[in-house]
Amino acid sequence: MSTLTLSATTFDEEIAASSHAVVVDFWAEWCAPCKMIAPILDEIAAEHPDSLRIAKLNVDDHPDIGRRYQVMSIPSLLVFKDGELVKRLVGAKGKSQLLTELAEFV
Amino acid sequence: MTPTRNVVIVGSGPAGLTAAIYTARANLAPLVLEGEPSSTTDQPGGQLMLTTEVENYPGFVDGIMGPELMGAFRSQAARFGAELVVDKVSRVDFSSRPFGLWVGDPSADEPTHRASAVIVSTGARSIMLGLDAESRLMGRGLSTCATCDGFFHQGSDIAVVGGGDSALEEALFLSKFADTVTVIHRRDELRASKIMQERAFKNEKIVFRWNTVVEDLIGEQALEGARLRDVLTGEISQLDITGMFVAIGHRPNTDLFRGVLDIDDNGYLLTQGTGTATNIAGVFAAGDVADHTYRQAVTAAGSGCKAAIDAERWLEAQGDAPENIAETPTEW
């Protein structure tokens, strides 16, 4: 499944509507580690279309959402299940590490 | 059996990518195992990926952004045919030749890659404070990457721990966002260069706490403050801050090579004489992983070049070089 781009107006609706676990990548243009994990998240999204939804939220464009979830470090990956925040991963990680952390949702 | 490469380069900072440029131009078709993304400086592109402006890399009159510089190094290596792979080495076997390198499962029987020569350029990573509270508050106010997280501290009171160039660089960068930046340093003078000191002293948002160490961090869900101890008087005080950036030094990434390559008292790889040879013939070391003294992008690049030439000559001498090797000319 393709990666979803979230905004402040679509965030709540998309998170609540998804039947899959949603992994939201809080990122920004100026964050080099964010750019390094972006292609890895795309790969993971492509490999697990039936269980995971990968979404992106630009913290520059939508600072309120970042504040709501106390995101103070990027990249941060917040995992939502049935609309609830269930896991938070801070910092860039390699693909194998990310898959280990996300194994419970796959 | 896994085919044997001429050269495998472990790490992709200035040292590794310069070694890749040189060995690729010498027709050695190097493989670069770049490492995996991380937020602790142990990552593809190395420590410059977490910096902003690099002002002292020769050739860039107006400075260049660290990630942009490393992107250029990488493209230049790729242009000459270096193969670059985002993988982290999990185990090495240097006991016999060709050398073995594993990525992923280190217990696999067969190595992922074999190499006639290996250049180790795994760099160094930031040291943390070693407090229990660090894991709880990492990413919740505590950070290792000012360029990543400075943005979240607009209008806040924050602190930087350390007294070197990287500490002051972070403090200056963070002063664009924060109301105050307190630099906490355990001594009464800075290790940082004069030019950085002058800039920091001139900046009205930056204040210094001398002879002070961080005893503990306060806050459950988010950082609320730090407990500080004056090392001269023993006096304990509390500083209310919502952000803290740690820049107290670096530790070389040599865990993979313990017991295999010779390491000095500080954990850095030892090289022989003025060259880059390690204690194992055919294994060379370049960049911060073998440099406790200079640790600059340009010195790392320089030693990467030396390692490439050392590897070329060694392969030739062993008769392991491909027929079309084009050794880097060093006599003019």
Side-chain angles (χ1 to χ4, degrees):
Chain A
M1 203 180 286
S2 64
T3 302
L4 180 70
T5 300
L6 297 174
S7 72
T9 46
T10 61
F11 190 89
D12 291 326
E13 199 181 319
E14 294 280 4
I15 296 298
S18 176
S19 52
H20 301 331
V22 187
V23 180
V24 184
D25 172 19
F26 286 75
W27 73 287
E29 197 57 51
W30 37 261
C31 161
C34 298
K35 289 189 171 171
M36 288 192 281
I37 66 161
I40 297 175
L41 290 172
D42 288 343
E43 277 176 38
I44 292 175
E47 287 163 15
H48 301 282
D50 299 328
S51 50
L52 281 183
R53 191 87 219 255
I54 307 280
K56 300 179 81 72
L57 184 102
N58 185 316
V59 295
D60 264 342
D61 298 342
H62 309 289
D64 289 352
I65 303 287
R67 263 197 293 276
R68 192 206 292 176
Y69 293 103
Q70 291 183 314
V71 171
M72 296 178 80
S73 191
I74 56 173
S76 273
L77 301 178
L78 272 58
V79 187
F80 294 85
K81 191 114 203 246
D82 303 320
E84 296 286 318
L85 175 62
V86 289
K87 187 157 190 162
R88 180 192 291 262
L89 305 173
V90 177
K93 294 175 170 55
K95 187 173 178 184
S96 54
Q97 273 177 293
L98 279 178
L99 283 174
T100 307
E101 296 275 12
L102 296 173
E104 58 191 290
F105 308 107
V106 175
Chain B
M1 192 166 128
T2 317
T4 299
R5 317 274 308 213
N6 300 309
V7 183
V8 171
I9 297 165
V10 186
S12 60
L17 292 176
T18 302
I21 291 167
Y22 272 79
T23 51
R25 282 174 53 82
N27 292 332
L28 294 176
L31 170 69
V32 183
L33 299 172
E34 293 183 273
E36 283 189 336
S38 91
S39 296
T40 53
T41 73
D42 172 18
Q43 59 179 319
Q47 297 169 61
L48 285 186
M49 297 301 285
L50 300 181
T51 62
T52 49
E53 195 87 16
V54 180
E55 289 185 326
N56 55 9
Y57 201 87
F60 298 92
V61 180
D62 300 316
I64 181 168
M65 299 302 276
E68 196 187 330
L69 179 62
M70 294 324 297
F73 269 60
R74 192 178 187 281
S75 302
Q76 194 175 352
R79 182 187 147 210
F80 293 112
E83 187 185 344
L84 300 130
V85 182
V86 180
D87 266 335
K88 193 176 171 104
V89 174
S90 56
R91 177 186 158 198
V92 295
D93 180 0
F94 293 161
S95 63
S96 61
R97 299 206 294 257
F99 304 120
L101 299 104
W102 281 254
V103 302
D105 180 8
S107 62
D109 290 339
E110 187 71 0
T112 322
H113 305 284
R114 288 183 196 277
S116 301
V118 171
I119 295 174
V120 175
S121 51
T122 46
R125 64 166 68 212
S126 300
I127 300 173
M128 294 307 293
L129 296 165
L131 302 170
D132 290 341
E134 276 178 327
S135 55
R136 181 177 82 232
L137 294 168
M138 185 57 71
R140 296 166 183 262
L142 182 66
S143 173
T144 54
C145 176
T147 58
C148 304
D149 303 338
F151 165 83
F152 298 104
H153 296 280
Q154 295 180 33
S156 313
D157 297 316
I158 63 175
V160 172
V161 189
D165 268 346
S166 21
L168 293 195
E169 191 193 329
E170 294 206 344
L172 286 160
F173 176 76
L174 292 165
S175 72
K176 293 183 209 167
F177 305 101
D179 275 358
T180 65
V181 181
T182 303
V183 176
I184 301 165
H185 186 44
R186 65 192 155 99
R187 297 191 298 147
D188 62 358
E189 58 182 1
L190 299 164
R191 261 179 301 117
S193 60
K194 278 278 169 282
I195 183 169
M196 294 301 281
Q197 294 199 25
E198 278 166 22
R199 281 187 206 168
F201 290 144
K202 244 191 311 201
N203 190 306
E204 288 178 355
K205 285 183 174 178
I206 298 179
V207 293
F208 287 85
R209 284 289 291 264
W210 304 105
N211 302 309
T212 300
V213 294
V214 179
E215 284 274 293
D216 204 359
L217 302 176
I218 301 156
E220 287 301 318
Q221 293 301 315
L223 181 67
E224 292 163 11
R227 189 168 299 122
L228 306 181
R229 180 169 55 88
D230 185 308
V231 293
L232 299 181
T233 65
E235 192 186 327
I236 303 282
S237 61
Q238 184 170 329
L239 180 68
D240 292 332
I241 43 168
T242 53
M244 176 180 278
F245 294 78
V246 180
I248 53 174
H250 295 90
R251 183 170 74 77
N253 294 317
T254 46
D255 292 351
L256 270 179
F257 313 105
R258 283 195 181 272
V260 178
L261 297 179
D262 287 348
I263 284 170
D264 74 9
D265 292 343
N266 294 308
Y268 289 77
L269 296 185
L270 283 169
T271 51
Q272 297 172 1
T274 56
T276 62
T278 66
N279 55 304
I280 293 184
V283 178
F284 304 88
D288 284 10
V289 74
D291 176 10
H292 187 227
T293 311
Y294 301 106
R295 299 188 324 212
Q296 302 299 302
V298 66
T299 53
S303 74
C305 165
K306 286 162 65 173
I309 294 174
D310 289 343
E312 289 168 23
R313 291 183 176 166
W314 187 80
L315 287 169
E316 276 270 66
Q318 294 298 304
D320 281 341
E323 278 183 9
N324 64 341
I325 186 172
E327 267 196 84
T328 306
T330 51
E331 283 174 29
W332 304 96

